[in-house]
Amino acid sequence: MKIYHKIIKESLKIVILTSILGSIGGVAAATIHEKLILFLPLLIIMPAINNMIGSFGTIISSRFTTMLFTGKIGKDWSNSIEFIELYKNIVVSAFIITVYLVIAANVLGHLYGFDFDLFVMLKILLMAIMSVSLLVILMLFTSVIGGLMIFKKGEDPDNFLIPVNTALGDLGSLIIFTTLIIVLF
Amino acid sequence: MISENFKEVFTAEIISVTGALVAGSLLVFQVDKLLLLPGLFILIPGFLEMRGSITGSLAARLGEKLHIGLERSERHKLIIENILAAFTLALVVAVVLGIFAYIVSYFLFGVTLLSLIYIPILGSVISNLIAVPLTIFATFWFYKHKIDPDNVMGPFATTTGDIIGVASLLLAIIIVI
């Protein structure tokens, strides 16, 4: 049972920690549960926004770390072609996917009986774009500052950036999204 | 002029969020229960996080070993111990999440329902019974068909994890409540 014990020893703490962080984000959602149920597209889109931001966190962290290790990025990171390409790829992908999600959530919501309302859809689009932009910029900023600091110390930035950006994505998306729902709905 | 990097990021993301969208749609089927038991909102994100972490790392471990090369006897041992570990992790985390949701629900809504502890436990068993064999099969299948599991199993695990996770939780809700 060597493999079993190794997996439990190495994974248990981190899986508990990330799951609890996810549920802390869920606490924010629970406080506005009536609005989520009233506006079905919001309920449908929430797991997808959370999923997307978490995935971008992992992509940003691992790509930035690879750039550091391969010497494609350094102190003058803002002039690095690779970094600019990463930034553009993430921003363009995030924008297109967010628009896709909002339209799909509204179509699905309508199929489940929610009366389509263009104004509601535009508000959801605004909320989704604001949440995604804010968190993507925050994660890029964390990657640059944190990544460069950790790399300078001779450690692997992946070990720091992936958990930090995942937590930022999981917690941040639900908290920001919830705040915007309170403000806009 | 679309770069290869953009295509890879975009394709993986679109598959992954579509799965999450399906998971979100499944929630609509139980809105009455969600309204009665708002603590479920606390449970769902953590539960999906757990599902993704367990199957994602299971696929990564299997992929790594396949690349190194394994004897038939070693492969059997690896699979059995990984299955046991996935069930243990899911059960322990489900209990922790259930207790967390129960406590927060009490302070936030004044609701004390033990169902909030039973639902994630049952949900974790149901989801593991589907997700773990599926992940193992998919990892071996991709490897056998010359597709690197490292490149595809991440989005595969998160997509199937979200759908199976929500469906299992809903099934557990129906059984428990």
Side-chain angles (χ1 to χ4, degrees), chain B residues 78-98:
Chain B
L78 176 80
I79 292 172
I80 297 292
E81 291 197 34
N82 266 287
I83 292 173
L84 285 174
F87 272 87
T88 310
L89 283 172
L91 276 174
V92 174
V93 181
V95 172
V96 174
L97 280 177

Side-chain angles (χ1 to χ4, degrees), chain A residues 124-180:
Chain A
I124 298 174
L125 182 65
L126 177 73
M127 278 170 38
I129 289 176
M130 279 171 76
S131 319
V132 174
S133 321
L134 201 68
L135 283 160
V136 164
I137 291 168
L138 201 63
M139 286 191 286
L140 281 165
F141 185 72
T142 315
S143 297
V144 172
I145 305 291
L148 285 172
M149 266 169 53
I150 304 281
F151 187 68
K152 219 173 161 184
K153 279 200 226 165
E155 291 169 23
D156 184 353
D158 259 346
N159 297 335
F160 165 81
L161 291 179
I162 290 182
V164 166
N165 276 342
T166 308
L168 256 179
D170 288 339
L171 254 178
S173 64
L174 284 170
I175 291 171
I176 294 173
F177 208 67
T178 303
T179 311
L180 289 170

Side-chain angles (χ1 to χ4, degrees), chain A residues 1-5 7-8 11-16 18-27 29-31 33-34 36-37 40 43-56 59 63 82 85 88-90 92-94 96-97 100-101 104-105 108 112 166 170 174, chain B residues 3-6 8-10 13-14 16-29 31-32 34-35 38-39 41-51 53-54 57 61 74 77-78 81-82 84-86 88-89 92-93 96-97 100 104 108-109 158-159 162 166:
Chain A
M1 296 292 273
K2 208 175 152 191
I3 303 166
Y4 171 83
H5 289 297
I7 297 168
I8 299 294
S11 309
L12 189 60
K13 280 182 198 163
I14 191 75
V15 180
I16 289 178
T18 53
S19 304
I20 289 289
L21 278 173
S23 276
I24 292 173
V27 175
T31 58
H33 68 279
E34 281 163 350
L36 287 174
I37 289 164
L40 287 182
L43 182 68
I44 296 169
I45 205 172
M46 220 162 186
I49 293 275
N50 198 339
N51 174 305
M52 178 176 72
I53 295 173
S55 302
F56 278 134
I59 294 169
R63 289 272 165 94
E82 297 264 340
E85 201 207 330
K88 276 186 195 165
N89 284 344
I90 297 289
V92 175
S93 305
I96 298 171
I97 295 169
Y100 157 72
L101 282 179
L108 287 167
Y112 289 124
T166 308
D170 288 339
L174 284 170
Chain B
S3 72
E4 272 308 306
N5 272 338
F6 179 82
E8 280 174 18
V9 169
F10 188 77
E13 278 297 313
I14 209 95
S16 184
V17 296
T18 304
L21 213 50
V22 175
S25 314
L26 290 176
L27 289 175
V28 180
F29 289 115
V31 278
D32 52 336
L34 288 169
L35 199 60
F41 278 102
I42 302 166
L43 212 54
I44 294 166
F47 191 85
L48 296 185
E49 188 68 46
M50 168 192 81
R51 192 61 283 140
S53 301
I54 292 174
S57 51
R61 280 194 300 270
E74 282 179 316
K77 196 180 164 213
L78 176 80
E81 291 197 34
N82 266 287
L84 285 174
T88 310
L89 283 172
V92 174
V93 181
V96 174
L97 280 177
F100 178 78
V104 177
L108 217 59
F109 308 108
T158 47
T159 310
D162 280 349
V166 170

Side-chain angles (χ1 to χ4, degrees), chain A residues 96-114:
Chain A
I96 298 171
I97 295 169
T98 305
V99 173
Y100 157 72
L101 282 179
V102 173
I103 295 170
N106 275 277
V107 171
L108 287 167
H110 182 65
L111 291 176
Y112 289 124
F114 178 76

